[in-house]
Amino acid sequence: MLSVQNVTAGYEQSVVLENVSINAQKGAVTAVLGRNGVGKTTLIKSIIGLIKPMAGKIEWEDEDITSLPPEERVRKGIGYVPQGREIFSTLTVEENLLLGFEALSKKVNPAQILAEIYELFPILKEMLHRKGGDLSGGQQQQLAIARALIGQPKLLLLDEPMEGIQPSIVQLIRDVIVKIAKEKMVGIVLVEHSLDLAFSCADYFYIFDRGTVVAQGRVSETNMNDIQQFLTV
Amino acid sequence: MSVVITQVFNGFSLGSILLFVAIGLAVTFGLMGVINMAHGELIMVGAYMTYVVQQIFAKYAPQSMGYYFFIAIPVAFFVSALLGWGLEKILIRHLYHRPLDSLLATWGVSLILQQIARTIFGAPNVAVLPPEWLDGGVRIAGVVFPYKRLFILVFVILSIFALYIYLTKTPAGRRIRAVTLNRDMASCLGISTRKVDAYAFAIGSGFAGLAGCALTLLGPIGPTIGTYYIVDAFMVVILGGVGKLIGTVLGAFGIGLVSTLMEYSTSATMAKVMMFALIIAFLQWKPSGLVSVKTRSLD
């Protein structure tokens, strides 16, 4: 469904990703693992369109989207939850959620979509009129995921969604990820640096080191101990 | 007592005019961060549009002259908005994040627009006759409140209220706020940031047109009317705090009241100098202006 082919990308003069190819499938969780600074976020930003690759091609549903701006990729069904959440801090929770509908061009029933979202993240319903910036980190993370899900994405890019969040919410977010992948057949690209966490919910994995893929495979066929070496600092 | 009331009313009246010339700038400069030196000329365009509408009424519908102003308001808004939209599309969009370049380029645009106005309407000022129903005033406790001044006060309050509702309650306004807060994230939610930029700039320019429309009630208008107000407009937005409408409102009425007060005790020139000195001192103390955006930083 998503196919990143031989992408080289970076910032200004420095190349961060070199000749990277990955695939992500519908209804499956694809984990992207690696130490800090190996290019995981650069990969996600290239997929959503915030970074223009210097070489290579990104295909989405058999269409070349390499040169499309982010808004058009989002309208084609790619959702994005950035590292650091990027909630609109002076807008209310409700306004942040309503902005999620921008991704949908056709007429939808907002009430029904919002009801589903509140079921996944009950805390948001209680916080509707609070400013996004007043929420705790975990609440902001739920809001960011909810905002992306409202756009009914077919592929969801999650950049370290469990980073710096209390364990009970990590559990909640993990469950939501598995649920939307299995029940709504959403493809998920999950950037993580905790191997345990990634392996507890992913179907496929790619391990990055120094800007390239150094290991990949099915989670069910891989022994965690064999790949530990790529992740220890 | 009546002196105090008169001075306070004059202060509010001056404040309402300052607020009017600053509303549009609160959007283009305050929210979008564009230093648009041609803002004053967008005000001028609004003023001349009012003049044009009046001339048309005088020629083709003299019997309904009393209502020309209500046609002039939307005409001024839309012509200025259209001009602002074109300006954004052709020039300003290439100059985002280059404040010095956009300052120079828009100053050039302002000179061009002034010359165009001179070519079309001539260099001398032209008079717009206010509608007859705005002549005179209401007398309360021995003080006369001119209808024109009251009308501008009401007009500006309605305008700022409309802008506030537009920005906070409509999807289009929400898009504008999202793009100004975090452009990348807004585009990653499917918002076309280019369209929003052009749209927001057009709205800000439209409000400049409304200001021009209101200014015709106060006296004759000329090609350089905008340059009288551009500095004041920037001053109001900066003093109020960039990015907050309520700050612009407080800034405008604050400057209005304080300068009328000082004008009463000194001279007009002296008052202007003191006003500037006060504002500079205030901004040294509070660099972000009267109202600053406060939220818990993203952790």
Side-chain angles (χ1 to χ4, degrees):
Chain A
M1 187 163 67
L2 173 80
S3 155
V4 175
Q5 299 164 8
N6 308 105
V7 161
T8 296
Y11 307 85
E12 307 275 312
Q13 297 299 312
S14 66
V15 174
V16 180
L17 279 187
E18 217 175 340
N19 204 17
V20 166
S21 300
I22 74 157
N23 290 297
Q25 303 302 329
K26 227 173 161 178
V29 177
T30 306
V32 173
L33 292 145
R35 283 177 278 237
N36 286 334
V38 296
K40 303 187 297 283
T41 296
T42 308
L43 171 72
I44 297 293
K45 286 191 172 172
S46 306
I47 298 173
I48 193 66
L50 287 174
I51 292 176
K52 286 257 165 337
M54 298 162 185
K57 190 165 144 187
I58 298 167
E59 273 188 10
W60 165 246
E61 294 185 322
D62 301 320
E63 184 191 347
D64 186 354
I65 59 164
T66 319
S67 56
L68 291 184
E71 62 259 30
E72 283 179 42
R73 300 186 197 204
V74 172
R75 291 202 197 119
K76 286 183 188 296
I78 304 179
Y80 172 56
V81 179
Q83 194 172 24
R85 279 83 77 170
E86 315 239 347
I87 293 301
F88 298 103
S89 55
T90 55
L91 267 55
T92 63
V93 170
E94 188 175 26
E95 287 169 329
N96 269 283
L97 289 173
L98 289 174
L99 283 166
F101 286 100
E102 297 291 337
L104 299 166
S105 44
K106 54 185 178 296
K107 288 273 171 244
V108 290
N109 179 358
Q112 192 194 335
I113 292 174
L114 284 172
E116 276 177 36
I117 292 297
Y118 296 147
E119 204 177 305
L120 291 173
F121 304 107
I123 189 80
L124 296 180
K125 198 174 186 177
E126 296 164 28
M127 299 265 175
L128 278 183
H129 302 293
R130 301 275 287 275
K131 291 258 184 281
D134 293 340
L135 266 53
S136 74
Q139 291 162 346
Q140 288 190 357
Q141 189 65 66
Q142 295 177 56
L143 176 55
I145 297 174
R147 187 175 63 180
L149 284 178
I150 283 174
Q152 310 286 292
K154 287 178 264 183
L155 179 77
L156 185 61
L157 309 170
L158 294 163
D159 197 348
E160 303 221 9
M162 336 291 202
E163 188 196 25
I165 283 172
Q166 65 193 79
S168 61
I169 302 200
V170 169
Q171 188 62 37
L172 172 81
I173 290 173
R174 203 201 71 98
D175 293 346
V176 167
I177 291 171
V178 174
K179 191 174 177 189
I180 53 178
K182 300 305 165 218
E183 287 178 13
K184 305 198 99 181
M185 291 307 283
V186 174
I188 293 191
V189 176
L190 172 69
V191 171
E192 228 345 288
H193 60 236
S194 152
L195 185 60
D196 290 330
L197 206 54
F199 268 45
S200 75
C201 59
D203 300 294
Y204 302 90
F205 73 89
Y206 290 87
I207 295 183
F208 278 65
D209 199 11
R210 295 198 192 92
T212 53
V213 178
V214 290
Q216 64 183 80
R218 281 176 184 278
V219 168
S220 55
E221 297 163 0
T222 308
N223 186 338
M224 273 213 283
N225 295 327
D226 296 343
I227 52 174
Q228 200 82 46
Q229 47 157 330
F230 297 113
L231 298 167
T232 42
V233 181
Chain B
M1 186 59 200
S2 69
V3 173
V4 176
I5 296 175
T6 311
Q7 290 307 315
V8 169
F9 177 74
N10 285 347
F12 273 106
S13 179
L14 179 60
S16 67
I17 293 158
L18 289 172
L19 180 56
F20 231 140
V21 295
I23 303 180
L25 207 64
V27 176
T28 56
F29 175 62
L31 287 177
M32 302 176 71
V34 177
I35 299 180
N36 179 18
M37 295 302 283
H39 184 77
E41 277 56 45
L42 293 166
I43 295 175
M44 172 200 74
V45 168
Y48 272 112
M49 282 308 123
T50 312
Y51 173 71
V52 168
V53 170
Q54 190 207 26
Q55 294 299 100
I56 292 170
F57 264 75
K59 194 160 182 192
Y60 298 105
Q63 69 282 7
S64 39
M65 262 312 268
Y67 304 105
Y68 86 89
F69 207 75
F70 294 105
I71 304 296
I73 291 171
V75 169
F77 184 89
F78 284 111
V79 171
S80 288
L82 200 67
L83 202 65
W85 184 78
L87 192 61
E88 201 276 347
K89 284 266 175 202
I90 295 165
L91 185 70
I92 290 169
R93 100 156 4 155
H94 306 291
L95 300 173
Y96 288 124
H97 310 297
R98 288 160 64 188
L100 275 181
D101 296 346
S102 70
L103 188 149
L104 279 175
T106 52
W107 188 49
V109 169
S110 86
L111 295 179
I112 293 169
L113 289 176
Q114 283 178 28
Q115 193 51 48
I116 292 174
R118 262 184 220 111
T119 311
I120 299 176
F121 299 101
N125 287 354
V126 296
V128 178
L129 289 176
E132 277 171 15
W133 46 269
L134 280 176
D135 289 339
V138 55
R139 176 182 285 273
I140 299 168
V143 183
V144 178
F145 300 96
Y147 284 136
K148 279 177 206 156
R149 300 261 169 180
L150 288 171
F151 180 80
I152 292 177
L153 196 59
V154 172
F155 191 11
V156 77
I157 289 168
L158 288 179
S159 298
I160 199 120
F161 187 68
L163 179 61
Y164 176 78
I165 294 295
Y166 177 79
L167 284 176
T168 55
K169 302 283 183 246
T170 68
R174 193 158 58 229
R175 281 195 284 273
I176 292 177
R177 285 189 300 151
V179 170
T180 53
L181 282 169
N182 187 338
R183 172 170 297 271
D184 277 352
M185 193 59 228
S187 74
C188 288
L189 289 173
I191 297 170
S192 173
T193 52
R194 293 218 155 169
K195 268 190 206 157
V196 169
D197 286 337
Y199 206 63
F201 201 83
I203 296 282
S205 305
F207 276 98
L210 285 189
C213 193
L215 289 178
T216 61
L217 296 177
L218 296 175
I221 52 164
T224 55
I225 188 171
T227 51
Y228 294 126
Y229 289 102
I230 185 76
V231 175
D232 289 341
F234 271 104
M235 205 160 67
V236 166
V237 176
I238 292 171
L239 176 70
V242 167
K244 288 297 253 183
L245 274 188
I246 185 71
T248 307
V249 175
L250 293 176
F253 285 114
I255 292 178
L257 283 169
V258 175
S259 23
T260 343
L261 196 76
M262 285 194 296
E263 251 176 67
Y264 183 68
S265 43
T266 60
S267 68
T269 324
M270 199 57 207
K272 191 108 192 168
V273 172
M274 281 163 64
M275 197 64 225
F276 270 114
L278 268 182
I279 289 172
I280 290 168
F282 181 82
L283 290 176
Q284 292 290 325
W285 176 48
K286 281 202 157 188
S288 54
L290 286 168
V291 179
S292 53
V293 185
K294 261 182 278 167
T295 46
R296 180 162 152 186
S297 59
L298 298 173
D299 46 13

